[in-house]
Amino acid sequence: QQQVKQSPQSLIVQKGGIPIINCAYENTAFDYFPWYQQFPGKGPALLIAIRPDVSEKKEGRFTISFNKSAKQFSLHIMDSQPGDSATYFCAASTGRRALTFGSGTRLQVQP
Amino acid sequence: EAQVTQNPRYLITVTGKKLTVTCSQNMNHEYMSWYRQDPGLGLRQIYYSMNVEVTDKGDVPEGYKVSRKEKRNFPLILESPSPNQTSLYFCASSKAGTGGGEQYFGPGTRLTVT
């Protein structure tokens, strides 16, 4: 049973576009929602994270939007660049358990 | 440099031949974990350890063993590998003893079982 559902599986945008990746969760006990970025041949690395007491968090060109009532959160990448081409994973956890990951989104930003 | 290292990075083996993938971290983290990554399934946790001599099953533990005799090392053991264990494996560590918070991942081990 997949507790964190991620969409789309793949995404192609032009340079400067704003790709949006969505995740939905089922477990209302989740209290930490990170996004990980993975480049080919590398391990995932933490990109940005949010806790459910805020509805939005920005770090540079990356923004998480969080909707607690809908149990959904999304990643927006402003002014996307070819260097942002990677696989993105959403995840969720409670304070007492390990991360549950979404299935991943492969993003390609075309020049 | 703070890092998680895994060895080997690539491994091709045959069904039934025991193998060990090593993982080591130099950040003095209590929590360590093993994941496998398969297309369309994301990362699934195999085993985790909250501290030395404390290990527990994750979501997909069948066919794997782990041990945590030292804080920095967390090897993954496949005693009788099968083709369905062909996958990309990642070790991770976290300062948070429960595994929540930021996890630091190793570079991955690509395993092929024929």
Side-chain angles (χ1 to χ4, degrees):
Chain A
Q1 180 184 4
Q2 189 176 22
Q3 294 193 55
V4 179
K5 294 184 179 180
Q6 183 172 346
S7 63
Q9 273 191 317
S10 62
L11 189 54
I12 300 174
V13 300
Q14 296 294 315
K15 178 182 175 182
I18 306 175
I20 300 173
I21 305 170
N22 300 299
C23 285
Y25 63 97
E26 299 164 6
N27 186 349
T28 56
F30 286 146
D31 60 3
Y32 175 72
F33 301 90
W35 285 88
Y36 280 77
Q37 180 187 53
Q38 183 182 28
F39 293 106
K42 304 290 186 182
L46 180 65
L47 182 64
I48 185 173
I50 196 169
R51 296 203 180 266
D53 52 345
V54 297
S55 60
E56 184 176 278
K57 183 174 182 180
K58 291 183 180 180
E59 286 187 5
R61 295 183 293 106
F62 300 91
T63 299
I64 299 178
S65 297
F66 187 82
N67 186 328
K68 188 174 182 178
S69 61
K71 294 188 286 185
Q72 296 176 347
F73 58 111
S74 59
L75 177 70
H76 302 231
I77 305 175
M78 310 301 287
D79 186 27
S80 58
Q81 302 296 313
D84 297 328
S85 298
T87 299
Y88 293 83
F89 292 96
C90 63
S93 73
T94 67
R96 303 179 68 81
R97 288 186 60 85
L99 292 170
T100 298
F101 285 88
S103 55
T105 296
R106 186 171 180 179
L107 172 66
Q108 184 178 347
V109 181
Q110 294 182 333
Chain B
E1 180 189 357
Q3 60 181 350
V4 178
T5 57
Q6 295 179 227
N7 282 294
R9 293 290 313 279
Y10 302 90
L11 181 59
I12 301 175
T13 190
V14 297
T15 299
K17 186 176 181 181
K18 182 179 179 179
L19 66 92
T20 299
V21 183
T22 65
C23 172
S24 182
Q25 51 93 5
N26 63 1
M27 295 169 280
N28 201 37
H29 286 169
E30 280 83 23
Y31 185 94
M32 297 186 73
S33 178
W34 276 102
Y35 295 88
R36 60 178 290 173
Q37 182 178 358
D38 301 289
L41 296 177
L43 293 116
R44 295 179 293 168
Q45 191 180 51
I46 302 170
Y47 268 94
Y48 64 95
S49 170
M50 291 191 179
N51 215 323
V52 176
E53 302 292 0
V54 180
T55 63
D56 207 349
K57 297 177 181 178
D59 297 321
V60 288
E62 293 77 21
Y64 305 94
K65 285 179 60 177
V66 293
S67 67
R68 185 91 181 272
K69 293 182 170 56
E70 302 169 285
K71 194 172 186 179
R72 64 182 292 130
N73 297 324
F74 190 45
L76 179 69
I77 303 159
L78 285 73
E79 296 208 324
S80 184
S82 62
N84 64 12
Q85 293 178 298
T86 292
S87 187
L88 179 58
Y89 291 86
F90 289 100
C91 180
S93 71
S94 172
K95 183 177 181 180
T98 58
E102 181 174 7
Q103 293 202 24
Y104 295 82
F105 284 81
T109 295
R110 185 166 292 280
L111 172 65
T112 301
V113 184
T114 61

